[in-house]
């Protein structure tokens, strides 16, 4: 009977790896991208929608702030990329923020950073999966009626795939990640082609809907707070 749980565990997450086998988990860049860049890529899927929804609180006129908020986000991402590149070169062992804080500020700082990262990843998974299920549910009624169950099932599946190891999870996530990236780029190119070559008027199906502002007397700090909320 004791072998049954071990067999099930081996079927789900694979054989246990020794520390001396860690070098076998090294990934080429084409497979490292899907597994390590999933956080910012998932944000691309729902961030524009959330940005516009927040600005809509003050009415459609606040959409004019959208591009400026987007520029601020691009600048922030550029800073993050530059910082990560420096970390990788300075700490090639792969400890990330935990190693940087622990080495320079002590073990307590390292544990604090690690705790913050765990909270960040939990929230990222919750928001990303919820957004994805909500979008799929708009096209498939059954999923829309059982969003919580489907979201929990997806999280369980992602957990099992990640527990199988970095190399296998990188292979599993490679196709959907690259399909998403090329899908977004293709959508942008197709939109520019319709706009610049065919001369079509790009008009959303909801363009004729009226947006009624929930707040019409925003001024000063209220406007600043709204913009910061949209940025976040």
């Amino acid at each position: 009977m004791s072998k049954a749980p071990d067999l099930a565990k081996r079927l789900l997450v694979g054989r246990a790896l020794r520390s001396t086998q860690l070098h076998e988990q090294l990934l080429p860049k084409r497979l490292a991208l899907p597994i390590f860049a999933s956080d910012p890529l998932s944000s691309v899927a729902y961030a524009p929608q959330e940005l516009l929804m927040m600005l809509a609180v003050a009415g459609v006129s606040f959409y004019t702030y959208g591009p400026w908020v987007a520029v601020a986000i691009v600048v922030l991402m550029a800073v993050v990329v530059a910082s990560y590149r420096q970390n990788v070169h300075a700490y090639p062992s792969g400890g990330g923020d935990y190693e940087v804080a622990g080495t320079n500020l002590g073990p307590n700082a390292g544990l604090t950073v690690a705790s913050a990262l765990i909270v960040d990843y939990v929230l990222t998974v919750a928001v990303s999966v919820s957004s994805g299920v909500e979008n799929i549910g708009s096209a498939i009624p059954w999923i829309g009626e059982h969003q919580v169950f489907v979201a929990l099932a997806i999280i369980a599946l992602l957990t099992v795939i990640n527990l199988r190891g970095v190399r296998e999870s990188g292979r599993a996530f490679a196709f959907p990640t690259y399909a998403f990236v090329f899908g977004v780029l293709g959508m942008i190119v197709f939109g520019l082609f319709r706009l610049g070559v065919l001369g079509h008027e790009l008009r959303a199906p909801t363009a004729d809907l009226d947006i009624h502002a929930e707040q019409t007397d925003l001024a000063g700090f209220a406007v600043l707070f709204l913009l910061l909320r949209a940025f976040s």
Side-chain angles (χ1 to χ4, degrees):
M1 293 297 293
S2 61
K3 293 183 178 180
D6 293 337
L7 178 60
K9 181 180 178 181
R10 184 174 298 179
L11 290 175
L12 286 175
V13 302
R15 294 179 177 274
L17 297 176
R18 297 180 181 274
S19 299
T20 55
Q21 295 177 283
L22 290 179
H23 68 281
E24 299 176 5
Q25 294 296 305
L26 296 178
L27 297 174
K29 291 182 179 179
R30 67 180 183 278
L31 293 180
L33 174 66
I35 188 66
F36 293 116
S38 58
D39 187 354
L41 287 176
S42 65
S43 299
V44 173
Y46 59 81
Q49 173 183 335
E50 296 299 324
L51 167 63
L52 296 177
M53 288 177 60
M54 182 52 56
L55 294 177
V57 170
V60 70
S61 63
F62 266 59
Y63 279 179
T64 56
Y65 292 105
W68 297 107
V69 177
V71 168
I73 295 174
V74 171
V75 172
L76 173 65
M77 292 304 299
V79 173
V80 170
V81 170
S83 175
Y84 277 9
R85 286 180 61 87
Q86 292 177 350
N87 284 352
V88 168
H89 289 297
Y91 302 90
S93 59
D97 296 335
Y98 168 76
E99 183 179 4
V100 174
T103 301
N104 295 278
L105 301 176
N108 289 334
L111 291 175
T112 302
V113 170
S115 302
L117 288 173
I118 291 176
V119 174
D120 173 43
Y121 292 147
V122 170
L123 293 176
T124 297
V125 171
V127 175
S128 300
V129 173
S130 300
S131 177
V133 171
E134 183 178 3
N135 281 280
I136 297 175
S138 63
I140 304 177
W142 185 88
I143 294 180
E145 297 171 359
H146 303 84
Q147 291 187 16
V148 175
F149 171 77
V150 174
L152 293 176
I154 292 175
I155 292 175
L157 177 62
L158 293 175
T159 302
V160 171
I161 294 176
N162 278 281
L163 288 175
R164 293 191 65 86
V166 176
R167 180 172 291 274
E168 291 193 34
S169 59
R171 292 196 185 101
F173 294 141
F175 175 76
T177 300
Y178 283 113
F180 171 75
V181 171
F182 287 114
V184 171
L185 294 176
M187 181 177 62
I188 294 174
V189 171
F190 180 65
L192 293 176
F193 175 78
R194 289 182 56 191
L195 183 64
V197 178
L198 301 180
H200 291 173
E201 180 185 8
L202 301 185
R203 189 173 182 83
T206 58
D208 295 327
L209 299 180
D210 293 329
I211 299 179
H212 299 285
E214 297 181 12
Q215 301 290 336
T216 57
D217 54 349
L218 294 175
F221 284 110
V223 173
L224 178 62
F225 178 80
L226 182 68
L227 294 178
L228 291 176
R229 177 69 183 273
F231 172 81
S232 67

